Amino acid sequence: MFSKLDRIWQIPKIYFIVLTAIAAATPLTFAPYYQFWLMPLLFSALIRLTELKPHRRIVSAYWFGIIGYAAQFWWIHTALHDVSGLPNIFAIPLTFLLPMFLALFPAGAFWVHGKLFAQLPRWANIGIALPICWTLAEFARERVLIGFGWGALGYSQIADHSPLAGFAPISGIHLLTFLTASIGACLVLIVNHSVMKHRIAAAITIIAILLSGCLLRSVSFTQSTGQTATVALAQGNIAQQLKFDENMLPETYRRYFEQVSRSKAQIVVLPETALPQFLQHTPPEVLNAFARVAKQNGSALAVGVPAFTSDGTNYLNAMILLNEYDEMQPEKMPMYAKNHLVPFGEYKPFPALTNPLYQLMNMPLADFQRGGIGQKPFAMANQQVAFNICYEDGFGDELIASAKQSTLLANASNMAWYGNSNAMWQQLQQSQARALELGRFMLRSTNTGATAIVSPQGKIVAQAQPNVETVLEGEIMGMTGETPYMKLGGSLPFIGLLMMLAVVLKYVFRLRQYSCLK
């Protein structure tokens, strides 16, 4: 049944314009805009468009992905061209390369949906099967090849007033993606379904999801340890073009040393690669000076620094507990080494193809080694602090093992690669998701922003102004216990449940059809 609006949307030029517009609007649903209510509407518009031109549903989903991801991740161009100096003749095509790859997943979701579930009644086809296919595709996007989960529908719901955020501690970001897609699908059924009882059922489903989310937002799954700690998060604001310049080293050391010296907080955290020389190449007198002033101030000091592996053949993107530095036994200093590395930034996918491009860019330290999952938290003041570095806070499942041992989470990042783009805010939103999923405060110490303190409820309780040299100070409460998401071990049980539901949908309706034919 086509409405007057549907007939207008079916006009080829109008169809293309609307499809492009809804994809280009997706960045508004994420940080720093946080228009969480908009994502279900955009997704419902995508569904309706693919219904109007079913023969183009896969191409439409692919185009939606290209435009949506390119709009969300235009900061790739900032990193390649503005910061790394790659000429636009290479930078622009490479900027679209990732969206073109990522768009295969929404296209694949619609392909699988059409292939397996076309014979289902519309209420089950649109209302259940399509959200399942989309969520499974998002999960695959986070895991396959380079693994890139930014821009998943669920992240749009990590906002102060979003009811769906209450589901994050239950089964993580993929549950939020499924519920967001389900609301969008139900909106389509409410607006355009010939059977009134199915419209009513869709409306009841939306209300039930929203009310359940509101109730869950008031539930705390972890408990306070009763121990508070003061924290200081340094933001050096050192331009990426200067960060690894040897002539800039004295200024870098001076800037961070003064920030550490002025702080009397119990826990002090410096950003990723705050000390830009390899740990083994950093002058001992510099390390001793930082360690000494931290001890004098009664601070536990964690610092980001690249380091060689013990055999000296590879290197790590690391955090070290510098106040425990001993010049005679530096190997005994606690260290966390980043495990989930950034493709192209920290390791070279397909090196035979990408090595020539790296020769055109100012991108040092682009081939790190993984540190491993479940590394031991740092004992800092009266807290056990589980660190992750930059890109890692986009992978909640990988943080669970360390979080179970911790009372506090901390992320150290250097987002100077992406200038004053939305990248820093999108990453902050991911940290908000991790705080919700794991039920702990999250500290974020970054070079240029977004430096912040996030509560276990995912709320930003303190935030530094971006792109300025500053220290953000505040107080946190240690947390203990496990959310349901942690007890389940991550997203896999929920993903397995969705796959089982997909099988039931497929074969139950097939059996019904077979029975009717008999």
Side-chain angles (χ1 to χ4, degrees):
M1 185 174 66
F2 295 146
S3 67
K4 186 175 181 180
L5 181 61
D6 288 338
R7 293 190 181 94
I8 295 173
W9 281 13
Q10 282 183 305
I11 300 171
K13 287 184 179 179
I14 301 297
Y15 182 94
F16 177 77
I17 291 171
V18 172
L19 179 62
T20 303
I22 62 174
T26 55
L28 298 176
T29 69
F30 300 105
Y33 312 106
Y34 290 104
Q35 301 301 312
F36 63 90
W37 56 270
L38 183 58
M39 182 59 86
L41 297 177
L42 297 177
F43 191 69
S44 66
L46 172 63
I47 295 172
R48 190 59 188 147
L49 286 171
T50 59
E51 283 191 311
L52 296 177
K53 292 185 182 290
H55 59 290
R56 293 186 180 177
R57 66 183 185 278
I58 298 171
V59 173
S60 297
Y62 187 67
W63 181 251
F64 176 85
I66 291 176
I67 298 302
Y69 296 137
Q72 293 167 37
F73 311 141
W74 189 251
W75 39 260
I76 296 171
H77 180 267
T78 304
L80 293 175
H81 176 67
D82 299 355
V83 177
S84 297
L86 187 67
N88 263 328
I89 193 172
F90 298 113
I92 291 176
L94 287 174
T95 299
F96 279 92
L97 186 62
L98 180 62
M100 288 171 67
F101 168 70
L102 298 178
L104 293 172
F105 293 92
F110 273 85
W111 179 81
V112 171
H113 175 253
K115 197 77 172 176
L116 299 182
F117 302 106
Q119 303 305 315
L120 266 60
R122 187 163 179 261
W123 66 266
N125 182 304
I126 297 299
I128 304 176
L130 184 55
I132 289 175
C133 291
W134 187 277
T135 304
L136 293 178
E138 294 274 43
F139 176 77
R141 181 163 69 87
E142 185 186 272
R143 301 294 179 109
V144 172
L145 294 180
I146 61 174
F148 193 86
W150 291 48
L153 264 60
Y155 282 116
S156 69
Q157 303 306 303
I158 303 298
D160 285 351
H161 303 293
S162 169
L164 297 191
F167 288 95
I170 304 301
S171 201
I173 201 67
H174 297 296
L175 173 57
L176 271 67
T177 291
F178 175 72
L179 294 174
T180 305
S182 296
I183 290 176
C186 286
L187 289 172
V188 173
L189 296 177
I190 291 171
V191 172
N192 191 281
H193 200 291
S194 58
V195 181
M196 180 56 67
K197 67 178 181 180
H198 292 159
R199 289 186 175 188
I200 294 172
I204 292 173
T205 299
I206 293 177
I207 293 170
I209 291 172
L210 296 179
L211 288 178
S212 298
C214 289
L215 291 174
L216 287 170
R217 292 219 66 161
S218 64
V219 177
S220 180
F221 294 98
T222 54
Q223 306 80 42
S224 167
T225 63
Q227 294 183 311
T228 61
T230 54
V231 300
L233 310 175
Q235 183 173 285
N237 194 40
I238 296 169
Q240 189 61 40
Q241 295 92 332
L242 302 175
K243 187 172 177 63
F244 295 100
D245 186 339
E246 290 188 3
N247 296 323
M248 184 64 179
L249 289 177
E251 168 61 18
T252 298
Y253 293 144
R254 180 201 64 77
R255 190 173 300 186
Y256 280 120
F257 182 79
E258 287 187 358
Q259 290 182 330
V260 173
S261 299
R262 291 195 298 266
S263 176
K264 306 298 181 183
Q266 293 170 277
I267 296 173
V268 180
V269 183
L270 270 59
E272 175 187 18
T273 59
L275 306 185
Q277 281 183 300
F278 280 100
L279 176 63
Q280 292 82 357
H281 294 168
T282 304
E285 58 269 23
V286 171
L287 299 174
N288 275 320
F290 274 94
R292 183 172 59 252
V293 74
K295 289 178 181 177
Q296 289 173 353
N297 292 343
S299 302
L301 174 62
V303 179
V305 61
F308 287 107
T309 54
S310 56
D311 59 10
T313 59
N314 291 293
Y315 44 92
L316 306 166
N317 188 351
M319 294 295 296
I320 56 173
L321 193 55
L322 190 51
N323 58 297
E324 295 190 17
Y325 174 70
D326 183 342
E327 186 176 344
M328 303 304 296
Q329 296 179 306
E331 69 281 355
K332 290 190 175 182
M333 182 170 46
M335 175 183 290
Y336 170 82
K338 187 176 182 181
N339 180 64
H340 202 122
L341 304 176
V342 180
F344 302 104
E346 291 173 323
Y347 75 93
K348 302 170 186 174
F350 322 113
L353 298 175
T354 55
N355 270 332
L357 290 171
Y358 279 86
Q359 296 174 9
L360 298 174
M361 295 187 288
N362 178 25
M363 190 175 285
L365 306 181
D367 214 351
F368 286 89
Q369 181 171 298
R370 299 178 187 274
I373 291 177
Q375 297 176 61
K376 188 177 179 180
F378 288 177
M380 302 182 72
N382 55 10
Q383 304 293 322
Q384 295 292 320
V385 186
F387 275 90
N388 61 86
I389 299 177
C390 195
Y391 185 65
E392 289 185 300
D393 67 353
F395 302 91
D397 289 5
E398 298 179 11
L399 305 186
I400 292 174
S402 292
K404 286 182 176 180
Q405 309 171 58
S406 76
T407 59
L408 175 64
L409 308 173
N411 175 273
S413 293
N414 172 34
M415 300 301 284
W417 284 110
Y418 308 107
N420 196 30
S421 68
N422 286 343
M424 68 174 74
W425 308 116
Q426 291 172 7
Q427 195 204 21
L428 170 60
Q429 193 171 34
Q430 292 181 357
S431 288
Q432 292 176 264
R434 304 293 85 83
L436 272 164
E437 290 172 346
L438 304 172
R440 283 152 175 78
F441 275 88
M442 170 74 83
L443 308 179
R444 285 183 49 81
S445 178
T446 73
N447 179 17
T448 56
T451 298
I453 301 172
V454 182
S455 77
Q457 293 75 40
K459 295 183 180 295
I460 300 168
V461 297
Q463 184 175 328
Q465 181 181 344
N467 303 310
V468 297
E469 179 188 348
T470 187
V471 177
L472 178 67
E473 297 191 336
E475 185 175 81
I476 58 88
M477 175 73 72
M479 304 295 291
T480 188
E482 297 182 15
T483 63
Y485 169 73
M486 296 171 72
K487 291 178 180 178
L488 289 169
S491 302
L492 284 177
F494 175 66
I495 295 300
L497 181 63
L498 288 186
M499 295 176 72
M500 290 173 59
L501 182 56
V503 171
V504 169
L505 278 174
K506 174 67 176 175
Y507 289 102
V508 164
F509 280 102
R510 175 179 288 184
L511 288 172
R512 283 187 178 181
Q513 289 175 348
Y514 179 73
S515 299
C516 291
L517 289 173
K518 289 183 70 176

